[in-house]
Amino acid sequence: MADQSTYSNTTDILETRIKELVRDIKSVEIDRDRVKDYICLLVNPDDLLRVMETIANWDEIPMNYLRCITGIDQLTHLEVVYIFASIPGPGGLAVVARCPRKDGVLPSVYGIWETADFQERETYEFFGVKFDGHPDLRRLLTHEEMRGFPLLKDYPKGGDPDDLKAMDAFLPEGWLEQMQIEKERLQNWLQDEIAKRTET
């Protein structure tokens, strides 16, 4: 187990590498409050691959383990969050890239970390973000005919009627009609929320 001085030294190295990255890639911003327990880098999608290649190859503290990729629906846009660790060692980092809520595209990081394979597929499946360059971007857990993205905030909790039509014989009577009403309600809510957020 690393002692406190090792942890402190690793933190200093990480801070130095982050400062160098921000100096070299002007669009990168640091946010220390966005992701609990991680320094977070906000990255322009056009610079995402360059940032990822850089952090994967940092001297002394490479981000060589991609722990997680997930999405966040911010209503006006989507954020894709990448969580990294430096093995062995206590270093960790979060990277956030924004993309449009509809038809969002980011470059795949599969060529850097093969663990991105299923994680990018899952993020595509639940949020609709396409990862350009992914070798096999298709749904992982839901059926391939499904068109909706269940973790978007305007996706009906009981299922999108367009996705449920194939299962109509197995659903309770009136379910599709109820879900169509719920879908319309959520679409109206989403438009109202976006209008509120863009007014300020």
Side-chain angles (χ1 to χ4, degrees):
M1 181 176 229
D3 63 21
Q4 191 63 34
S5 64
T6 303
Y7 181 77
S8 178
N9 187 39
T10 302
T11 303
D12 292 343
I13 293 168
L14 181 60
E15 290 284 350
T16 301
R17 295 293 169 264
I18 289 171
K19 286 176 186 171
E20 292 169 355
L21 181 69
V22 171
R23 182 194 67 219
D24 294 342
I25 304 174
K26 304 293 185 215
S27 68
V28 176
E29 298 176 30
I30 300 171
D31 186 336
R32 296 180 186 279
D33 301 318
R34 182 176 290 258
V35 180
K36 187 177 184 331
D37 298 329
Y38 290 90
I39 298 173
C40 181
L41 302 178
L42 306 178
V43 178
N44 181 319
D46 294 336
D47 294 323
L48 184 62
L49 274 185
R50 185 172 166 209
V51 168
M52 297 304 202
E53 288 165 352
T54 301
I55 68 173
N57 294 299
W58 272 339
D59 292 335
E60 301 169 293
I61 189 167
M63 295 297 129
N64 51 12
Y65 177 52
L66 174 59
R67 286 185 171 181
C68 169
I69 302 174
T70 191
I72 301 172
D73 182 356
Q74 298 288 15
L75 298 182
T76 56
H77 63 277
L78 295 176
E79 292 180 345
V80 176
V81 182
Y82 304 79
I83 305 290
F84 296 98
S86 182
I87 305 293
L93 184 69
V95 174
V96 175
R98 290 182 175 180
C99 65
R101 197 168 184 278
K102 185 174 181 181
D103 301 321
V105 178
L106 290 173
S108 174
V109 298
Y110 173 83
I112 304 169
W113 299 278
E114 288 187 8
T115 54
D117 184 5
F118 282 10
Q119 296 181 48
E120 287 180 344
R121 284 177 62 185
E122 188 176 19
T123 304
Y124 160 69
E125 176 173 36
F126 289 108
F127 292 94
V129 178
K130 292 184 179 168
F131 293 92
D132 189 35
H134 189 283
D136 186 23
L137 191 63
R138 60 188 165 91
R139 291 183 180 272
L140 184 65
L141 302 171
T142 59
H143 59 87
E144 290 189 30
E145 293 79 27
M146 188 168 177
R147 293 183 298 234
F149 304 105
L151 291 184
L152 294 179
K153 290 182 179 173
D154 60 338
Y155 189 88
K157 289 182 179 148
D160 189 305
D162 294 331
D163 293 330
L164 294 172
K165 285 178 185 168
M167 302 179 342
D168 189 28
F170 304 100
L171 298 172
E173 188 176 329
W175 188 263
L176 283 177
E177 293 80 10
Q178 289 176 3
M179 289 306 100
Q180 186 61 44
I181 292 167
E182 178 68 2
K183 181 178 181 178
E184 291 168 8
R185 185 190 70 76
L186 286 169
Q187 288 172 341
N188 291 332
W189 169 82
L190 177 66
Q191 290 172 355
D192 292 345
E193 284 298 310
I194 291 171
K196 287 179 198 172
R197 291 178 186 209
T198 53
E199 283 175 5
T200 56

